[in-house]
Amino acid sequence: MNKTVLITGASSGIGEATARYFLQRGWNVSATMRSRSKVGDWSQEKRAICPYLDVTKPETISAAIHETLEHFGQIDVLVNNAGYALMGPLEGVTADRLEHQFQTNVFGLVSTIQTVLPVLRQQGGGTIINVASIGGRLAFPLTSSYHATKWAVEGLSESLRYELRRFGIRVKIIEPGGVKTNFINHGTTWATHPDYTKMVDKVKQFSEKINDSLPAPQGVAKTIYRAATDKSGRLRYSPYGEAFLLLHAILPDKLWRYLIENMMLGKIK
């Protein structure tokens, strides 16, 4: 029997690339998403289904998991990929927007895990893969809200692996560096504040400038597949992020801070 993966946020970017790659490797793919309006022909393959799933609506999580089990009979791997970035100065972030950031990136991920865990335990094992970011290990300017959610995913995942090991369930974290997707243009929401306008403009210019030079998401998809099939106890995988994590680890904080500020902010008068 072919193995089955359920992926959240699979309509574009890393999620879509991951769905395509698992299909190429012969897996059954439940590519869940909020909208099918931009889904390509790959979704029509007989080993693919595209259930509706909005991680902020628990009833859709249950329905998507039920549909996947009805169609394929099992779930071997869960890939928690759905998410977006709330950027901008913390002083300009409203309580509602911060709550929605956590509802999507953290609480929705938790709800999906909690809903699928009885299935994995009953099956006698499986793998949970949480897509975090190098932004869960280090931080950049004007990204405090987003970083807070990714650091939460890191801590949650590292603790969860101890809880689930006895059930034969592995937990993996994917920490991508910068990837060329529509994330910067369409997966990012900006908070504003008049006293931070120049800083916001600098970071936006930097983000837009580097986007076209970033690697494609297919490399991350391959790493997710490697994590899904890795039977070891390895927790973290960092496609395109190793260099940043290494520099952050070995450079003095003063030098690291200088490099980041010079690169992303320049001189703001």
Side-chain angles (χ1 to χ4, degrees), residues 134 175-180 215-221 223 238-244:
I134 59 169
E175 303 168 329
V179 179
K180 184 179 180 180
Q218 284 74 17
V220 181
T223 302
S238 304
Y240 307 135
E242 297 92 340
F244 264 102

Side-chain angles (χ1 to χ4, degrees), residues 109-184:
L109 175 146
V110 170
S111 294
T112 307
I113 291 174
Q114 289 177 326
T115 307
V116 84
L117 273 179
V119 176
L120 300 185
R121 286 192 291 104
Q122 186 176 14
Q123 291 174 175
T127 301
I128 295 171
I129 299 176
N130 295 326
V131 179
S133 166
I134 59 169
R137 303 270 296 281
L138 50 84
F140 300 105
L142 297 182
T143 324
S144 56
S145 301
Y146 176 72
H147 283 306
T149 64
K150 292 305 181 181
W151 283 57
V153 170
E154 290 273 347
L156 180 148
S157 302
E158 187 162 344
S159 177
L160 190 61
R161 66 174 176 168
Y162 296 109
E163 299 176 27
L164 301 182
R165 182 179 177 185
R166 63 188 291 259
F167 299 111
I169 301 171
R170 296 179 178 84
V171 178
K172 310 284 187 176
I173 309 172
I174 308 297
E175 303 168 329
V179 179
K180 184 179 180 180
T181 67
N182 63 1
F183 190 79
I184 290 176

Side-chain angles (χ1 to χ4, degrees), residues 194-254:
D195 292 337
Y196 297 83
T197 299
K198 290 183 179 180
M199 187 181 295
V200 169
D201 288 344
K202 284 282 188 180
V203 173
K204 282 185 176 180
Q205 289 170 11
F206 172 80
S207 300
E208 292 168 358
K209 182 179 179 180
I210 68 167
N211 188 52
D212 288 342
S213 64
L214 294 174
Q218 284 74 17
V220 181
K222 291 179 181 179
T223 302
I224 292 174
Y225 181 82
R226 180 156 54 93
T229 55
D230 184 355
K231 303 300 183 183
S232 76
R234 180 177 177 180
L235 177 64
R236 291 182 169 88
Y237 306 74
S238 304
Y240 307 135
E242 297 92 340
F244 264 102
L245 292 172
L246 178 61
L247 284 174
H248 182 258
I250 64 177
L251 290 179
D253 180 68
K254 184 176 181 180

Side-chain angles (χ1 to χ4, degrees), residues 93-107:
V93 175
T94 64
D96 287 346
R97 296 182 83 176
L98 184 60
E99 181 178 355
H100 189 263
Q101 175 79 126
F102 271 84
Q103 286 287 353
T104 303
N105 291 9
V106 182
F107 304 144

Side-chain angles (χ1 to χ4, degrees), residues 70-81:
E70 285 285 303
H71 200 86
F72 296 124
Q74 64 188 51
I75 298 173
D76 299 282
V77 175
L78 166 66
V79 179
N80 282 307
N81 169 72

